[in-house]
Amino acid sequence: MKFVSRGESRRVLSTPRTNLNISYQVRARIMSDTLLNTSRTPSPSLSASSSNTEDSLSPASSVSSNAPKELSSQFPSPFYPPTLARIEGIASKYPTPALPSEYPPLPQIETALKRDDKDIGTPDEWVVRDERLVRLTGKWPFNCEAPLPDLWNAGFITPTPLFYVRNHGIVPRVNRADAESWELEISGMVSKPTTFTLADLLDPAQFNAVTLPITLVCAGNRRKEQNVVRKSLGFSWGPAGLSTALFTGVYLADVLEKVCPVNDGNFGDTEFRRALHVIFEGAEDLPNGKYGTSQLLRWSKSREKGMMLAWAMNGEALEPDHGYPLRLVVPGQIGGRSVKWLKKIIVSDTESQHHLHFFDNKVLPTTLMPEQARSENEWWYDPRYIINDLNTNSAIANPAHDETLIVTATAPATPQMYTLSGYAYGGGGRRITRVEITLDAGETWKLCNITYPEDLYRKRPFKSDIWGTLDLTERDESYCWSFWNLNVPYSALVDAGSVAVRAMDQGLNLQGQSMYWNPTGMMNNWWFRVAIHKSVSASGDVTLTFEHPTMPGLQPGGWMERMKEVGEDILKPIFTDAPKAEDTEIAAQMKEKAKKPAVLMTKEGVDRKITMAEVLAHNKEEEPWFVVNGEVYDGTGFLAKHPGGSESITLVAGEDASDDFMAIHSADAKAQLAVYHIGTLVPSTEKVEVVVVAAEPDPIFLSKTKWKGAVLVEIEKINHDARNYRFALEHPDQPLGLPTGQHVYARLRRKASSADAEGGAISVEGELVQRAYTPVSSEHAKGFIDMLIKVYHRTPDFPEGGKMTLGFEELVLGDKVEFKGPLGSFKWLGKGTASWRGVERKAKHIGMICAGSGITPIIQVARGIVNDEHDHETKVWVVNANKTESDILLRADMDELHKRRGPDRFRQHLVLSKAPEDWAHSRGRVNLDMLREHLPPPSDEALILICGPEPLIELVVKPALITLGWDVEKSLVVF
C-alpha cells in the first residue's frame, strides 16, 4: 500500500509490509490458485490435448512466456483468467470450497472454449469467447448477449462464458505480471491519498472479503424494439442484455473509510468545497479518453448499496471481457456504472468529467431526434436525464421465439396446461412484488407465481477463504433477477392472439403499455408481447407458433419488423387472425390508414408530365435534370449548395438516380428534394430504336454515366483499422481512367449475416450504401483499382460505425463493388499546372495537409508531381497528422517520394497526438506555428490542398491560413 499526504507531491513511496502472518499467506495461495478453476470439476474437453489447444489459441506473444517470477507471499499466485490459464497450461492446485447446498447451484461449464474465428484480425483476437454469443456490433468492438433460451436454461447464476459483454474499445491485455503489480490509486478530497495493490485489497488484516449475488443489466436491454420503431443512437440489444454472478471483492465503503473523504475549507467560506462524488476510471484507451463515471459519495459510503471492488465472479478470476484483474460492481444500477479494469478512484466536489459519463447512459426527451441530440451537446450535460437505477422490467422466455405447440383436435380428459415463464427485475434494490400476464391485450390480467432464488442466500451466512463472507441474512435489498411462471390451458392460448407480461416492484413502479421512445433507445420497458399464430390441419389439430417482438443484433425476425413492413402500427399492435374473405377490403383500408406518412419529395401543384427523352436532353452540367422514384427534378438551383459538390448532381444528369439518391440521403435531404421537383415521368410516345451490341469491355473502365462492377481479388491489412482493397477491372490491360486529383463513387450492398449473430455463414442482402473515395491507384493504372479504406468501427458515440467502411470490412474475395466516375473539381495536369473549378492555373508550390485516411488524395497528387519527368520545378510540402505512429498510412510510399526528389522538392512533417518518447517530429495537434514552418508562403503560384475532418479544416486550418496571409477562397482546395 502506498500513501500520499494531502498537498504533498504526486511522487509515491512504496511502504513494504513485513508483518504478514502465516494464515494470510496460506489463504492468499489457496485463494489465487482456486480462482483459476473454470468449473467445479475439471472439464476433460478443456484439459485434454493442451499442446494442440495452445498452438491454435495462444496469443501471438503468449502471456505464459512472460510468466512472473516467484511471487511474494503478499500476492495470490497464480491469479489469471480461467480461459487463458487453461490454454496456457497453468494448473490449479486447490479446489474451490463448495457452497452450502441450500444456495442456488453454480453453473457447470461444459463447453470447450476456444478462440472465436470472428475475432481474428481484431485487437481482441487473443481473448477466448463463446461462439454462441450473439454479436451486436459486428466483429469489433465486442458487444454481445447470450441467446435468450441459452441464458434462461443456464439458471439463476449465469455461466461466465454466457455473461453479456459491453465493451467500448480494445480489451486491455493484462498478463500475470501486470496483475501482480496492478495498483488502484485513490486521490482527491481525502485525508489519506493511497495507492492500493491487489494484495492490499486481498489482505484480511486490512479488508474483509465479501461475496454478493448481483444481476448486471445493460441500459440498452431490449433496445432493438425501439430501433425498429425509429433508429436510435444505440445498437440493437435483445432481451438478454443481463446476467447474474456471485461477485467477490471488498466493499467500496470499506476502502473509502480507509482514505477518509473530507471537505475542503470551512463551511460558509467562498472557497469551501464539499466532497460529493466518487469518480471511477478504467484502464481502457478510447478515442475520447479513458472510460469513467461517478457515484454520489453518500451512496458509495453505504454498504447497503452493495458497491464493491471485485476481483472474482462465480469463484474464479475475472475474465478479460469482464475487467480482469479488478472492477467496480454497482448493484441495482445500469451496467455502465460498473467500471471495468479499475485504476483510479477520485473523491471530488463535481461529478465525473469523462466523455462517456456525459455522452452515454441518458434517457433524453422523446421529442428529441437522434440527429439533433448528436449535434446539440447541451442535452447531454443536463443532470435530469442521467440514468443510475434500473427501471422495472420483465420478459417472456417460454414460449421461445419460433416455438411451436400442437393442440390436438381430440381434447384429453385432463386439460393440457402450458407453463408460461420468464424473468423480472427492479432497480435500486427494489423487490419485484407482482408479475401479471394478459392473453387479451390488457383487457384482463392473471397474477403469476414469483420465485426469488436470491432469497436462498438469506437462509444462512457462509464464510470461506475463497468466497470471503456471503451473508444476506440481514439484507432486504433485491439486487438479482426473479423468475415468474403461470400455468395456462392450451385452449386459452388457442383463443389468444398474443401473450404479454408486465411487472411491478415494491415502489409500485409498473411497466407501461406504451413505449417511451428516446434518442438513446435506453431503458425500454413497455410490456413484453409475444404474438401467437395459428394454423389448422386437415385433421383439426391446431399448431401454435410463437413470435417474439424482435431478434437481437442484425438477426431478422420478430413481429415488430414484420408488422412494420406491411404498414401496421407497431406501437399499438393488434394481434388477430388473418381477416376473413368478406373483411378483406375493410382490412386493407385499415392497413393503409395505419401506414405512417412517407417523406414527401414532391411539390404541391406540380402536374407537368415529362418524358425520358426530355430528361436526357437536360444531361448538361449547367442544367442537370434527373429522376428519383418516377419524379423529375432540376438540380440547377442546388449545384452550389450541395455538400458533396456540384458533381454529385451532374454525375446523374439525364439519368434515373433513384438507387443512388435513396441509398445515401437522410430523411431531411429527401424532404429538401421537393423544392426542385418539376414534374412526373411518363412513358415516351416516340419509338425507341434498340441497338444490340457485343458485350465487350469499354476501352476505359470508369464511366460518369453508369456504374461498373469490379471484383475483389486482394485484401492487404495495413494496420489495426486500415485495409487496402484491390479490385480487378474488366480485363488486365483496361486503363482505369482516373485523372490525378479526382475521386470516384463506390457503392456496395451491406451484408446482414448470421456470422454477426450466432456464428452462421449465411448472408442476406442488406442496405445499399455508397460514398466518394479517392483510389490510391495512379493515373496510368491498368487492370485494377486500389482502395485504401480506414474502417470506422462501432463506438458508443457512433453505434452504427461507418456504414460504408464496415461494408468494405464485410467483403470477401470474389465480392463485387461498383464504381462510377471520375469526379472532382480539382485535377493535376502536370508540368506545374492544375485545373480547379474549371480554370487552369500555374502552381509551383503545393502545400498539402491531411489527417488519417485523408492521405489518399494527397499521395495521389504527390505521386503525379514527383513522377512527372517533365516537371523539375514544382515543390511539395506535406503536413500529415495522426493519432499514433501506427496510424500513419502509406508512410513508406511517402518516404519513397522524398528519396526520389530530396528535401528541396519534397518534404513531409508528421504530427502525432500520442507520440513515443523518441519522436522527432511534432507532438499534439496541428496549429498555426506548424503551418507557418512547414507550408510554403502564400503566392500567386501556390496552392494548399487538404483532406481531413471538418473541425480541422474549419476551426484550425482556415483561420491559420488567413492569419498567414492566404486567400482561402482562391488558394485552398478541400477534397
Side-chain angles (χ1 to χ4, degrees):
M1 182 162 52
K2 302 173 185 177
F3 302 89
V4 180
S5 62
R6 297 190 75 230
E8 193 180 322
S9 100
R10 295 286 297 166
R11 188 169 63 89
V12 224
L13 298 177
S14 177
T15 305
R17 188 171 64 253
T18 57
N19 61 346
L20 289 175
N21 57 42
I22 297 298
S23 64
Y24 169 63
Q25 298 177 28
V26 172
R27 171 180 175 258
R29 287 198 301 272
I30 294 175
M31 179 173 187
S32 63
D33 285 329
T34 309
L35 287 173
L36 289 169
N37 292 336
T38 55
S39 64
R40 305 295 79 84
T41 57
S43 170
S45 58
L46 282 174
S47 59
S49 304
S50 59
S51 60
N52 292 336
T53 303
E54 188 169 332
D55 288 341
S56 62
L57 297 178
S58 292
S61 62
S62 173
V63 178
S64 60
S65 65
N66 190 26
K69 299 176 182 178
E70 187 67 30
L71 299 177
S72 69
S73 60
Q74 301 178 36
F75 199 81
S77 172
F79 179 69
Y80 205 41
T83 53
L84 297 181
R86 289 192 179 278
I87 288 171
E88 295 166 23
I90 304 172
S92 172
K93 300 177 183 177
Y94 304 98
T96 303
L99 292 170
S101 59
E102 300 99 314
Y103 289 179
L106 287 171
Q108 299 293 317
I109 301 175
E110 300 173 353
T111 304
L113 296 181
K114 60 184 181 67
R115 188 174 65 184
D116 193 336
D117 289 342
K118 291 190 284 294
D119 287 318
I120 296 175
T122 74
D124 296 345
E125 62 183 0
W126 59 277
V127 183
V128 180
R129 288 163 175 158
D130 196 307
E131 61 183 10
R132 291 174 293 174
L133 293 170
V134 180
R135 293 181 178 238
L136 307 174
T137 49
K139 294 179 66 173
W140 186 87
F142 185 64
N143 293 284
C144 70
E145 63 183 90
L148 183 57
D150 292 282
L151 177 70
W152 178 255
N153 293 332
F156 177 69
I157 299 293
T158 307
T160 303
L162 289 180
F163 206 99
Y164 86 90
V165 177
R166 175 68 176 101
N167 288 341
H168 296 85
I170 299 173
V171 174
R173 192 166 184 174
V174 181
N175 60 32
R176 293 169 60 200
D178 295 332
E180 177 190 1
S181 59
W182 193 269
E183 293 181 336
L184 174 65
E185 177 189 322
I186 306 182
S187 61
M189 300 177 69
V190 295
S191 62
K192 298 177 182 179
T194 309
T195 297
F196 290 104
T197 65
L198 275 175
D200 294 323
L201 298 176
L202 286 162
D203 183 359
Q206 298 189 61
F207 299 104
N208 293 319
V210 296
T211 292
L212 291 177
I214 297 168
T215 295
L216 291 182
V217 185
C218 183
N221 192 38
R222 296 183 58 192
R223 183 192 278 139
K224 178 72 173 281
E225 297 162 43
Q226 295 223 354
N227 280 345
V228 176
V229 174
R230 181 185 295 118
K231 185 68 182 75
S232 75
L233 294 172
F235 52 85
S236 293
W237 290 92
L242 75 167
S243 303
T244 304
L246 291 172
F247 286 98
T248 301
V250 295
Y251 281 126
L252 173 62
D254 291 348
V255 177
L256 291 175
E257 193 174 83
K258 285 276 187 181
V259 299
C260 303
V262 293
N263 297 326
D264 190 358
N266 298 314
F267 183 76
D269 293 348
T270 56
E271 301 296 322
F272 175 74
R273 296 167 57 229
R274 186 185 298 278
L276 292 174
H277 303 272
V278 183
I279 301 169
F280 307 91
E281 182 178 282
E284 56 184 332
D285 288 312
L286 301 172
N288 292 291
K290 303 286 188 181
Y291 184 84
T293 186
S294 59
Q295 295 284 334
L296 291 175
L297 175 60
R298 61 183 179 86
W299 292 354
S300 303
K301 292 166 64 176
S302 170
R303 290 174 183 81
E304 285 70 28
K305 289 288 186 181
M307 299 183 196
M308 60 193 305
L309 310 183
W311 55 75
M313 54 193 293
N314 296 342
E316 306 160 350
L318 295 168
E319 289 290 347
D321 276 325
H322 300 296
Y324 174 76
L326 186 69
R327 72 173 297 169
L328 173 71
V329 179
V330 182
Q333 293 191 15
I334 59 170
R337 303 292 170 223
S338 294
V339 178
K340 298 187 286 190
W341 310 290
L342 188 64
K343 290 294 288 184
K344 292 183 180 180
I345 297 178
I346 304 165
V347 178
S348 174
D349 60 332
T350 58
E351 65 182 311
S352 167
Q353 298 299 300
H354 291 88
H355 179 78
L356 289 178
H357 177 73
F358 290 111
F359 290 92
D360 198 4
N361 298 318
K362 300 285 197 302
V363 172
L364 302 177
T366 189
T367 54
L368 201 63
M369 290 299 102
E371 297 79 11
Q372 183 182 359
R374 184 176 284 155
S375 62
E376 298 176 3
N377 289 350
E378 62 269 21
W379 297 101
W380 301 92
Y381 290 101
D382 193 321
R384 294 175 297 176
Y385 305 138
I386 194 169
I387 312 169
N388 285 309
D389 284 357
L390 293 164
N391 55 3
T392 304
N393 213 339
S394 64
I396 297 172
N398 290 314
H401 179 69
D402 274 348
E403 179 181 337
T404 58
L405 177 68
I406 298 177
V407 183
T408 58
T410 305
T414 303
Q416 293 175 293
M417 306 294 286
Y418 185 93
T419 302
L420 304 170
S421 58
Y423 70 76
Y425 60 81
R430 294 180 293 275
R431 189 179 185 89
I432 292 296
T433 54
R434 74 187 73 173
V435 177
E436 297 169 323
I437 285 291
T438 178
L439 297 173
D440 52 15
E443 291 294 325
T444 60
W445 293 89
K446 299 179 184 297
L447 205 59
C448 300
N449 306 304
I450 309 176
T451 58
Y452 307 91
E454 181 181 12
D455 285 352
L456 297 175
Y457 297 103
R458 306 186 201 276
K459 288 182 175 291
R460 69 177 178 94
F462 175 74
K463 189 173 184 178
S464 78
D465 291 329
I466 301 304
W467 301 99
T469 301
L470 202 173
D471 186 1
L472 270 62
T473 56
E474 296 185 1
R475 277 186 170 275
D476 54 14
E477 300 86 8
S478 292
Y479 289 131
C480 296
W481 61 346
S482 57
F483 298 149
W484 59 265
N485 67 79
L486 178 69
N487 290 327
V488 297
Y490 280 16
S491 58
L493 296 176
V494 171
D495 294 336
S498 66
V499 53
V501 63
R502 69 182 182 187
M504 179 187 288
D505 68 19
Q506 65 189 90
L508 304 184
N509 298 297
L510 177 67
Q511 285 178 259
Q513 179 178 9
S514 302
M515 173 188 290
Y516 187 83
W517 184 94
N518 64 91
T520 64
M522 291 181 168
M523 307 297 275
N524 181 45
N525 72 333
W526 67 330
W527 300 349
F528 191 95
R529 300 164 169 90
V530 173
I532 303 175
H533 303 280
K534 294 178 280 291
S535 61
V536 182
S537 69
S539 62
D541 293 346
V542 177
T543 298
L544 304 180
T545 303
F546 301 95
E547 184 182 29
H548 279 219
T550 63
M551 295 298 289
L554 298 178
Q555 297 177 102
W559 60 260
M560 293 189 72
E561 288 183 340
R562 173 181 56 80
M563 293 175 70
K564 183 178 182 179
E565 287 177 1
V566 297
E568 296 186 23
D569 187 349
I570 56 177
L571 290 176
K572 298 177 181 178
I574 299 175
F575 302 100
T576 61
D577 294 333
K580 299 176 183 178
E582 60 268 26
D583 296 332
T584 300
E585 184 177 350
I586 296 175
Q589 292 173 355
M590 292 177 63
K591 184 180 293 186
E592 188 66 28
K593 185 178 179 180
K595 288 183 179 179
K596 294 187 176 180
V599 176
L600 188 64
M601 298 193 298
T602 56
K603 187 186 297 183
E604 187 176 357
V606 173
D607 56 4
R608 178 180 175 183
K609 307 303 180 185
I610 301 174
T611 66
M612 196 63 200
E614 292 178 89
V615 175
L616 288 170
H618 292 80
N619 64 349
K620 309 293 192 297
E621 293 188 0
E622 62 273 11
E623 193 182 10
W625 289 11
F626 57 91
V627 178
V628 175
N629 291 350
E631 301 296 331
V632 182
Y633 301 87
D634 182 356
T636 307
F638 199 59
L639 289 174
K641 303 176 186 177
H642 196 289
S646 62
E647 285 198 329
S648 299
I649 298 175
T650 59
L651 196 68
V652 296
E655 297 182 21
D656 188 326
S658 300
D659 288 345
D660 296 0
F661 184 86
M662 300 303 291
I664 63 174
H665 288 86
S666 66
D668 289 342
K670 293 170 184 174
Q672 290 180 40
L673 194 61
V675 177
Y676 307 97
H677 179 230
I678 60 173
T680 301
L681 188 70
V682 294
S684 175
T685 57
E686 298 178 12
K687 183 178 180 181
V688 179
E689 183 179 356
V690 179
V691 180
V692 179
V693 297
E696 294 182 358
D698 295 327
I700 295 175
F701 175 74
L702 287 175
S703 169
K704 286 189 176 183
T705 60
K706 61 181 177 181
W707 288 98
K708 306 285 289 293
V711 176
L712 180 62
V713 294
E714 183 181 335
I715 303 175
E716 178 188 1
K717 182 178 179 180
I718 307 299
N719 63 17
H720 62 285
D721 61 4
R723 320 277 186 265
N724 188 74
Y725 297 88
R726 171 162 288 194
F727 296 88
L729 307 185
E730 294 168 315
H731 63 80
D733 296 322
Q734 185 179 38
L736 174 60
L738 180 69
T740 300
Q742 299 247 289
H743 50 279
V744 301
Y745 267 123
R747 78 175 179 185
L748 54 81
R749 193 170 289 280
R750 291 290 304 275
K751 297 179 179 179
S753 172
S754 52
D756 288 329
E758 295 183 279
I762 302 173
S763 296
V764 298
E765 283 196 344
E767 180 183 7
L768 183 69
V769 289
Q770 69 181 57
R771 221 200 98 175
Y773 285 101
T774 303
V776 292
S777 315
S778 70
E779 180 178 6
H780 307 293
K782 291 184 178 182
F784 66 88
I785 179 172
D786 282 339
M787 307 293 293
L788 178 63
I789 304 296
K790 179 180 174 67
V791 179
Y792 289 91
H793 294 284
R794 298 169 176 90
T795 69
D797 287 344
F798 300 98
E800 291 187 357
K803 287 187 177 182
M804 188 73 187
T805 63
L806 288 175
F808 272 99
E809 184 80 338
E810 294 163 356
L811 295 176
V812 296
L813 298 183
D815 283 347
K816 183 177 286 189
V817 170
E818 293 180 306
F819 298 95
K820 193 184 220 185
L823 66 155
S825 61
F826 179 87
K827 292 180 187 177
W828 183 255
L829 304 177
K831 299 181 183 180
T833 305
S835 172
W836 184 32
R837 298 171 179 165
V839 178
E840 289 190 16
R841 59 181 292 177
K842 280 293 182 182
K844 294 183 178 180
H845 305 281
I846 307 294
M848 303 179 177
I849 307 167
C850 60
S853 58
I855 187 68
T856 55
I858 297 303
I859 196 171
Q860 191 195 77
V861 177
R863 284 172 175 163
I865 295 172
V866 170
N867 296 332
D868 186 350
E869 299 298 336
H870 303 289
D871 187 347
H872 306 289
E873 297 181 352
T874 307
K875 297 182 179 181
V876 176
W877 289 256
V878 181
V879 175
N880 187 354
N882 291 274
K883 184 177 180 180
T884 67
E885 194 167 6
S886 64
D887 291 320
I888 304 174
L889 302 175
L890 301 173
R891 186 175 185 179
D893 300 72
M894 294 292 281
D895 289 345
E896 183 61 30
L897 296 179
H898 171 79
K899 291 177 183 178
R900 286 201 63 184
R901 295 301 179 213
D904 288 339
R905 288 197 55 204
F906 187 93
R907 62 189 70 175
Q908 177 182 214
H909 185 72
L910 300 173
V911 184
L912 294 184
S913 57
K914 292 187 177 181
E917 293 290 336
D918 57 350
W919 185 243
H921 294 261
S922 292
R923 301 168 182 271
R925 301 185 183 277
V926 174
N927 57 41
L928 174 64
D929 291 337
M930 289 181 200
L931 300 182
R932 177 186 287 115
E933 183 178 355
H934 300 290
L935 290 181
S939 72
D940 291 339
E941 292 189 341
L943 278 177
I944 301 295
L945 315 181
I946 185 169
C947 186
E950 186 176 357
L952 172 66
I953 298 170
E954 298 296 332
L955 303 181
V956 179
V957 172
K958 281 187 177 181
L961 291 179
I962 292 171
T963 301
L964 295 174
W966 289 86
D967 184 339
V968 295
E969 290 300 318
K970 296 181 180 179
S971 303
L972 179 63
V973 179
V974 179
F975 288 110

